[in-house]
Amino acid sequence: MRSSPVTLLVVAASLIALRVTAQEPPASPPNVVWIYADDVGYGDLSCYGATAVTTPNLDRIAKEGVRFLDAHSSSATCTPSRYSLMTGEYAFRRPGTAVLPGDARLILDPAKPTLASLLGRAGYVRGMIGKWHLGLGNGNLDWNTTIAPGPLEVGFDECWLVPATGDRVPCVYVDGHMVAGLDANDPIRVSYQQRIGDAPSGKERPDLLRMLWDHGHDMSIVNGISRIGWMTGGSKALWKDEDMADVLTARAVDFVTRAKKHRFFLFFATHDIHVPRTPHPRFVGKTAMGPRGDSIAQLDWQVGEVLRTLDELQLANNTIVMFTSDNGPVVNDGYRDDAVAKLGEHKPAGPWRGGKYSAFEAGTRVPFLVRWPLRCKPRTSNALVSQVDACATVASLCGIELADDECVDSLDQHRAWLGEDDVGRDHLIEHSGTLSLRLGSAKWISPKQGPRVAKQVAIELGHDEEPQLYDLKTDPGETDNLASRQPERAASLAAELRRIVDAGRTRDARK
Ligand code: NG6
Ligand code: CA
């Protein structure tokens, strides 16, 4: 039987299609490296316009990948941002997810998926290095025995943690389920309720301190710096603040080196540039901005070490490196470290109003860089993107399916994250003690009683008992409140925000 011309055409077309497919690189899921900096603002990196500090390694990621101009942490503080990033669920839906004390219980539910456990489904080896701040244990934790549940119960294979923050006790690393370097004869005790031990506090003996507290941070003295909370014991296990960046970076490099034969996920959550800012002596004086600027230089070095390792192991091409921050910037966050006096012309928040803790844009609009040489073309993107989408987006990039009831606020934004779509989300909820809705060029900030300025940190909170409506296209600085002049627009944004909140989920809520 002779083939008809149409059949021949179809066969020829499929052969061409086959050839085209065959020429594409095989779809091999990438390694994932998520570098999560602390309190780094939109304007703090030279690839976002800073001139008082240079960040060549971060600038390299920006040059080789996608640099986002409208990327957001899920919240204006750490714990809720990390909660959303890990779970794909907005933290405002879960009470108890505000900034945690250092002895808080784990707030992630081991029965629910996390970014780490999702990647585990596809066989990834998963390491968590650095700042955790999502709680450990089930309450009344004994730091001298097995510390669980924690990262290893929510999807990581290994972890090396700063349990909460550098300014909160206990000032020890947790290696897996144990305090690293613990001496059984010198047990650790921690309290956030009452004073423990006889050692003088930072409040009583400021003369013992090498960095003075400005507000808060006046309890137990560890390494000449007083902290939030009380601790006794564990003297051999105490971290040395100046070495923290080196210690964490060595762990991150070691993890990648050991994991190289597998597909891996590294979650590298730096302590920099959170307070207390105590850069290693080799970074002291790298900028004219004092410890805050020098910590940015140190952060950049940390990033460079990870990039160098990926290069040396020839892993860079098929590794997605993401860099971002957990909330916007703060200059004085409780220690007198010269950050205010030496700030000069540097603008930590770039052009945005507010900062850490704020409902204004600088609260959550942070640097975000994505590099995946095999898939991303270098570019700058205006897409509206959010860390709450990490679970669904990374799952999609790595070929992992999400069930309908998993990570319910997380949208698959892989096209935007790879720089293929300049729009991204059609809306976004910003969380900062109140809720804001971004929709189109509009931003609605829900009314909130209370101070408008957080005086101690000198940041405008963007909280107002009156509703606020801004048009970011014409008024990026959020100075012209349109709410009373455009009541219908304001009401419709308020209603839409309520609808998404009430829906209990984002996926499908906007259809
Ligand atoms: C605040 C601390 C601040 C910082 C913040 C958490 C005081 C007065 N201020 O309560 O220094 O630790 O909590 O920062 O104690 S975050 O980046 O982890 O959210
Ligand atoms: Ca933070």
Side-chain angles (χ1 to χ4, degrees):
M1 197 179 87
R2 286 183 57 173
S3 305
S4 75
V6 173
T7 317
L8 282 174
L9 255 178
V10 169
V11 171
S14 355
L15 280 175
I16 290 167
L18 263 177
R19 261 192 51 215
V20 170
T21 323
Q23 276 170 359
E24 301 236 320
S28 162
N31 301 309
V32 179
V33 173
W34 188 291
I35 306 177
Y36 210 29
D38 203 344
D39 293 3
V40 169
Y42 191 93
D44 275 327
L45 312 179
S46 42
C47 51
Y48 281 84
T51 52
V53 56
T54 46
T55 51
N57 293 297
L58 285 155
D59 298 4
R60 178 183 164 201
I61 305 184
K63 205 168 133 236
E64 296 173 356
V66 189
R67 180 179 68 111
F68 290 88
L69 304 181
D70 200 357
H72 293 258
S73 57
S74 308
S75 180
T77 50
C78 163
T79 301
S81 284
R82 283 164 211 256
Y83 179 89
S84 301
L85 167 58
M86 279 294 162
T87 63
E89 176 189 78
Y90 282 130
F92 67 76
R93 300 197 192 279
R94 292 277 161 260
T97 55
V99 173
L100 294 176
D103 63 348
R105 58 185 296 163
L106 177 71
I107 58 168
L108 301 181
D109 178 353
K112 287 169 110 182
T114 64
L115 184 54
S117 69
L118 287 172
L119 287 162
R121 290 181 193 169
Y124 279 67
V125 174
R126 297 139 292 157
M128 156 77 219
I129 315 273
K131 176 175 173 177
W132 179 240
H133 212 184
L134 291 166
L136 292 166
N138 282 321
N140 293 321
L141 185 67
D142 179 352
W143 294 87
N144 306 290
T145 58
T146 304
I147 296 169
L152 304 189
E153 284 65 41
V154 297
F156 287 98
D157 296 302
E158 51 183 274
C159 66
W160 177 277
L161 311 175
V162 172
T165 60
D167 56 346
R168 283 173 175 75
V169 300
C171 302
V172 293
Y173 299 113
V174 171
D175 179 4
H177 283 140
M178 293 300 288
V179 166
L182 180 70
D183 174 357
N185 296 318
D186 184 21
I188 295 173
R189 284 176 59 221
V190 172
S191 173
Y192 280 75
Q193 273 72 49
Q194 75 229 359
R195 179 175 190 145
I196 52 173
D198 317 319
S201 68
K203 187 172 198 167
E204 293 154 355
R205 294 291 306 274
D207 58 301
L208 296 177
L209 303 176
R210 62 194 170 102
M211 183 189 283
L212 284 177
W213 49 272
D214 180 80
H215 54 275
H217 305 97
D218 59 1
M219 294 165 242
S220 284
I221 301 177
V222 179
N223 299 337
I225 300 172
S226 51
R227 320 269 167 163
I228 308 171
W230 302 95
M231 82 174 282
T232 60
S235 57
K236 285 192 188 143
L238 296 176
W239 65 51
K240 200 163 166 244
D241 297 84
E242 283 74 2
D243 292 345
M244 190 178 278
D246 284 347
V247 169
L248 299 182
T249 304
R251 292 273 158 188
V253 165
D254 177 57
F255 172 78
V256 171
T257 308
R258 284 185 290 108
K260 67 173 183 255
K261 292 213 175 76
H262 309 269
R263 276 199 277 281
F264 63 84
F265 168 46
L266 167 64
F267 190 78
F268 181 25
T270 68
H271 162 66
D272 285 320
I273 60 168
H274 199 277
V275 297
R277 302 172 185 126
T278 51
H280 188 271
R282 71 185 186 280
F283 293 102
V284 172
K286 282 277 173 205
T287 72
M289 291 192 287
R292 187 175 185 280
D294 297 346
S295 294
I296 299 175
Q298 178 170 271
L299 168 69
D300 185 70
W301 170 81
Q302 297 183 259
V303 171
E305 287 301 288
V306 174
L307 299 183
R308 188 178 56 76
T309 307
L310 294 173
D311 288 341
E312 283 175 10
L313 299 174
Q314 301 189 333
L315 296 170
N317 271 349
N318 200 26
T319 298
I320 309 185
V321 176
M322 292 175 253
F323 172 89
T324 190
S325 175
D326 66 340
N327 49 251
V330 53
V331 182
N332 174 357
D333 208 13
Y335 290 99
R336 295 199 188 154
D337 61 4
D338 270 354
V340 177
K342 294 188 171 168
L343 193 61
E345 296 299 304
H346 180 69
K347 300 259 175 306
W352 313 114
R353 188 171 179 182
K356 180 176 179 177
Y357 311 109
S358 178
F360 289 132
E361 279 300 278
T364 64
R365 199 187 285 220
V366 288
F368 183 40
L369 306 169
V370 176
R371 186 190 78 169
W372 183 10
L374 268 188
R375 285 285 303 274
C376 286
K377 289 210 179 67
R379 62 167 296 190
T380 293
S381 170
N382 288 303
L384 178 63
V385 294
S386 166
Q387 292 166 19
V388 76
D389 296 333
C391 284
T393 301
V394 171
S396 162
L397 291 171
C398 299
I400 299 156
E401 300 249 325
L402 274 190
D404 187 52
D405 62 350
E406 293 181 328
C407 313
V408 293
D409 290 308
S410 197
L411 306 181
D412 175 1
Q413 287 286 313
H414 75 273
R415 295 196 63 247
W417 286 36
L418 296 181
E420 294 166 3
D421 152 26
D422 207 36
V423 176
R425 289 182 143 251
D426 67 348
H427 78 285
L428 172 74
I429 297 180
E430 297 177 13
H431 171 226
S432 60
T434 188
L435 295 182
S436 311
L437 179 69
R438 292 268 314 271
L439 187 60
S441 63
K443 174 166 170 183
W444 159 264
I445 307 179
S446 305
K448 161 100 180 167
Q449 302 275 343
R452 294 184 185 192
V453 174
K455 285 215 179 75
Q456 292 175 317
V457 292
I459 288 175
E460 292 182 296
L461 291 172
H463 296 165
D464 199 316
E465 56 278 10
E466 296 298 325
Q468 295 172 81
L469 168 64
Y470 299 101
D471 192 316
L472 295 181
K473 197 163 178 193
T474 51
D475 177 29
E478 299 170 274
T479 54
D480 185 18
N481 183 2
L482 303 170
S484 58
R485 275 171 282 153
Q486 300 185 1
E488 279 175 21
R489 193 177 178 198
S492 116
L493 284 155
E496 186 58 18
L497 174 59
R498 180 100 318 263
R499 223 171 58 73
I500 302 168
V501 172
D502 290 348
R505 56 183 284 139
T506 300
R507 282 211 305 278
D508 315 324
R510 295 241 327 124
K511 275 186 184 159

